Amino acid sequence: PTSGRAWVRGREATRLSSSERQRLGYLPQAPALFPDLSLDENLSFHASMYGLPFRRRKRLDTMLDWVELGEHRRKRVSEVSGGMQRRLALAAALVHDPDVVFLDEPTAGIDPILRDRFWTHFRELAGRGVALVVTTQYVGEAGRCDEVGLLEDGRLLLRDTPEQLRREAFGGEVVELTLAQPVAAEAAQRLRDEGVVDGAIEHSDATTVRAVVDDARTA
């Protein structure tokens, strides 16, 4: 490093042993893939670099199916789209079941349905005790994290839970009501008369109303 120090699991990053590095997963912004190798060969190479034994076929198949690339496994990286390369790189970062994972915009260029699947898996990993550090430009994805840091020009401006950051941004907690029928603006304003709404009330569509309250649990 040109400046600063970092620690991973209590050890300085520059002093990690080879075995400790093998317990890390890393997805760089530009996927580190070999264009003349197939998707399967690329994933197998990454697995070997992380120390997985030769009997790893089942694990490779599972990861390729998870990123929906199983039927393309024989294609060369140079023959597939940038989005598919991104998905392969994500599989490579997780193929060895690491303890700590660094993911740089893992869902960039990924369709919303597959993006939701990936985040469901990320939450499952977190539930098993895996630590994930994720950079994202999607606010909705940041809201699925346990803790959020806001960076600008290399400086950490804010760091807190998504709930607390929402409270600071909106002056309270945001409650979204989805109704069975369209609701008139006058009816929505009656919520303020009930004494539970402290901030703005707005319609996001004909049947959805958002309101800022002090405490969503009691409101």
Side-chain angles (χ1 to χ4, degrees), residues 55-132:
R55 287 190 289 247
R56 52 178 175 258
R57 181 72 266 162
K58 184 176 180 181
R59 179 62 177 172
L60 298 183
D61 291 343
T62 297
M63 295 306 296
L64 285 171
D65 289 341
W66 175 59
V67 294
E68 298 186 357
L69 292 175
E71 62 183 283
H72 305 285
R73 71 181 68 226
R74 302 302 175 197
K75 294 181 180 179
R76 294 184 180 183
V77 165
S78 59
E79 298 172 341
V80 301
S81 67
M84 293 170 72
Q85 293 180 28
R86 192 74 181 160
R87 282 145 56 188
L88 178 64
L90 177 59
L94 299 173
V95 67
H96 57 304
D97 198 20
D99 299 322
V100 182
V101 188
F102 298 91
L103 303 175
D104 190 351
E105 298 190 14
T107 60
I110 305 299
D111 70 78
I113 295 176
L114 193 55
R115 184 186 305 161
D116 185 68
R117 262 187 59 193
F118 287 172
W119 273 94
T120 298
H121 186 65
F122 295 162
R123 291 303 320 176
E124 291 172 353
L125 291 176
R128 286 171 21 207
V130 178
L132 296 99

Side-chain angles (χ1 to χ4, degrees), residues 4 15 18 36 56 74 84-85 110 135 142 179 202 209:
R15 299 180 181 273
S18 295
D36 292 330
R56 52 178 175 258
R74 302 302 175 197
M84 293 170 72
Q85 293 180 28
I110 305 299
T135 63
L179 308 168
E202 62 179 34
V209 176

Side-chain angles (χ1 to χ4, degrees), residues 128-143:
R128 286 171 21 207
V130 178
L132 296 99
V133 180
V134 183
T135 63
T136 179
Q137 296 188 33
Y138 298 112
V139 175
E141 289 187 351

Side-chain angles (χ1 to χ4, degrees), residues 120-176:
T120 298
H121 186 65
F122 295 162
R123 291 303 320 176
E124 291 172 353
L125 291 176
R128 286 171 21 207
V130 178
L132 296 99
V133 180
V134 183
T135 63
T136 179
Q137 296 188 33
Y138 298 112
V139 175
E141 289 187 351
R144 300 178 74 163
C145 297
D146 297 311
E147 196 171 337
V148 177
L150 179 62
L151 292 169
E152 182 179 15
D153 293 330
R155 292 171 53 240
L156 183 63
L157 302 183
L158 296 170
R159 178 181 170 184
D160 215 323
T161 63
E163 294 76 16
Q164 188 59 32
L165 290 178
R166 287 193 197 98
R167 174 177 287 277
E168 291 182 11
F170 296 104
E173 296 183 345
V174 179
V175 174
E176 184 173 275

